[in-house]
């Protein structure tokens, strides 16, 4: 049986999956090694979210992440991903001050960072800037529900949309982003009922992250999925394999081998010939400064 030829994921192919009722499988991609593995496995959206600078660079909050840091991580992912759609998160306040700056920063993530689309959090007010980014020819993925960059406004990272009023506000903001031209929505940490309602009533994919099952697709951070982060795993995320434990065991073994003289291995240690060793000792012991190499 001939293996199907893989094609680059595009806005058109993402929307086509929604029309066919096929779910998107999305994952976070923050660094080159993890992104290369993920792209080999095959995912639709490879999202370089604000959790990247937190889990890899130790930022305790996305509010301290600099644009340049997000840009560097996007560049790392871009160098190795061939098929997945690379989505770069717009950092805190990088698309809020003015329409001009919003477009400029989004364009930098595309032209310098190599992203295929940008991701924006926000509400109906932010949608005006999102519309201008889309009008400039830059695809946008919206992020609704729990929005880490708006933790001060949202009183932390907790569950959103528990009551009807807050749930309706999330729906209103999501509709505004779709009206502004967002081609997909990431919906984080909200009740299943909101996820189902939006997936049923909106023409773009509603991709769930810790918001119950969505017919349009699911999203999880690689750090959460494989247990690799500087911070504790969110309680709502599932660890499919705990590589942190494997890494820790490997490092303990390395330390033990160094302390007991079992590393480095004798068979991999390189030596001079006896003649060159004697010349080396004579040169070092007979001259205050080492002689210049004849080829230099």
């Amino acid at each position: 049986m001939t293996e199907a030829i893989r094609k680059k994921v595009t806005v058109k192919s993402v929307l086509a999956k929604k029309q066919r009722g096929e779910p998107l499988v999305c994952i976070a991609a923050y660094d080159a090694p993890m992104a290369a593995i993920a792209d080999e496995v095959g995912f639709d959206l490879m999202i370089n979210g604000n959790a990247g600078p937190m889990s890899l660079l130790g930022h305790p909050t996305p509010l301290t992440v600099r644009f340049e840091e997000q840009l560097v991580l996007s560049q790392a992912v871009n160098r190795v991903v061939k098929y997945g759609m690379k989505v770069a998160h717009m950092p805190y306040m990088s698309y809020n001050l003015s329409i001009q700056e919003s477009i400029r920063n989004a364009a930098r993530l595309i032209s310098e960072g190599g992203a295929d689309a940008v991701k924006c959090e926000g509400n109906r007010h932010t949608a005006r800037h999102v519309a201008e980014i889309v009008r400039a020819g830059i695809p946008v993925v919206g992020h609704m529900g729990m929005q880490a960059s708006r933790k001060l406004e949202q009183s932390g990272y907790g569950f959103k949309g528990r009551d009807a009023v807050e749930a309706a506000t999330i729906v209103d903001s999501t509709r505004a982003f779709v009206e502004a031209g967002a081609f997909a929505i990431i919906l984080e940490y909200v009740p299943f009922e909101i996820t189902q309602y939006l997936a049923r009533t909106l023409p773009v994919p509603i991709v769930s992250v810790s918001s119950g099952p969505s017919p349009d697709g699911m999203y999880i951070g690689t750090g959460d999925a494989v247990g690799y982060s500087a911070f504790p795993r969110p309680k709502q995320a599932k660890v499919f394999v705990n590589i942190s434990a494997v890494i820790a065991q490997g490092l303990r073994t390395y330390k033990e081998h160094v302390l007991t003289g079992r590393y480095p291995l004798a068979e991999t240690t390189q030596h001079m010939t006896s003649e060159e060793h004697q010349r080396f000792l004579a040169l070092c012991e007979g001259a205050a400064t080492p002689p210049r190499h004849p080829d230099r």
Side-chain angles (χ1 to χ4, degrees):
M1 183 176 178
T2 304
E3 185 177 351
I5 298 175
R6 292 183 64 186
K7 294 182 179 180
K8 171 71 177 177
V9 178
T10 64
V11 172
K12 183 178 180 180
S13 64
V14 166
L15 292 173
K17 280 199 169 187
K18 168 79 174 187
Q19 294 301 314
R20 295 195 300 266
E22 297 178 18
L24 301 170
V25 185
C26 310
I27 196 122
Y30 310 135
D31 59 85
M34 196 75 77
I37 295 170
D39 201 41
E40 182 179 355
V41 172
F43 292 96
D44 295 295
L45 303 186
M46 311 263 297
I47 303 171
N48 198 329
N50 52 22
M54 294 177 68
S55 62
L56 295 181
L57 305 181
H59 282 279
T61 166
L63 306 185
T64 61
V65 175
R66 294 183 295 109
F67 182 87
E68 288 73 17
E69 292 174 313
Q70 195 78 52
L71 180 64
V72 166
L73 295 184
S74 296
Q75 291 168 336
V77 170
N78 175 56
R79 294 184 184 111
V80 298
V81 172
K82 298 179 180 179
Y83 301 106
M85 173 179 277
K86 298 161 292 186
V87 181
H89 178 76
M90 294 282 284
Y92 180 64
M93 286 297 159
S94 63
Y95 55 102
N96 299 88
L97 300 182
S98 71
I99 288 174
Q100 290 76 13
E101 185 176 54
S102 299
I103 296 173
R104 183 183 300 112
N105 287 333
R108 288 189 65 193
L109 288 174
I110 301 294
S111 63
E112 298 177 43
D116 302 309
V118 299
K119 180 169 74 69
C120 298
E121 298 175 352
N123 50 35
R124 179 165 287 279
H125 302 291
T126 319
R128 181 169 65 96
H129 288 198
V130 168
E132 294 300 327
I133 294 173
V134 173
R135 191 169 289 118
I138 300 171
V140 173
V141 174
H143 189 132
M144 294 294 162
M146 195 283 285
Q147 301 174 332
S149 294
R150 303 179 75 95
K151 61 169 291 190
L152 299 179
E153 173 197 4
Q154 293 190 339
S155 300
Y157 300 128
F159 200 67
K160 309 303 175 187
R162 291 184 187 276
D163 64 78
V165 172
E166 186 177 40
T169 300
I170 291 171
V171 169
D172 179 67
S173 295
T174 305
R175 285 172 175 165
F177 264 48
V178 173
E179 291 166 2
F183 73 92
I185 299 292
I186 303 296
L187 191 60
E188 183 169 7
Y189 213 16
V190 303
F192 166 74
E193 288 77 11
I194 299 178
T195 303
Q196 292 296 297
Y197 178 80
L198 289 173
R200 186 177 72 251
T201 60
L202 291 181
V204 305
I206 303 298
V207 179
S208 168
V209 49
S210 301
S211 297
S214 170
D216 295 341
M218 299 299 298
Y219 167 47
I220 193 172
T222 46
D224 297 335
V226 301
Y228 185 69
S229 175
F231 297 98
R233 172 182 60 87
K235 63 181 180 180
Q236 67 271 20
K238 177 179 175 59
V239 174
F240 295 88
V241 61
N242 188 5
I243 65 171
S244 289
V246 177
I247 292 171
Q249 182 57 50
L251 295 180
R252 289 191 192 98
T253 302
Y254 158 68
K255 180 180 178 180
E256 177 190 353
H257 282 209
V258 170
L259 294 176
T260 57
R262 286 180 285 172
Y263 182 84
L265 300 175
E267 59 266 30
T268 63
T269 301
Q270 302 296 311
H271 295 277
M272 292 179 173
T273 64
S274 178
E275 180 183 359
E276 288 300 319
H277 185 211
Q278 293 302 315
R279 290 182 61 197
F280 159 70
L281 292 176
L283 288 170
C284 290
E285 294 170 358
T289 57
R292 291 179 61 85
H293 194 280
D295 294 335
R296 296 177 183 173

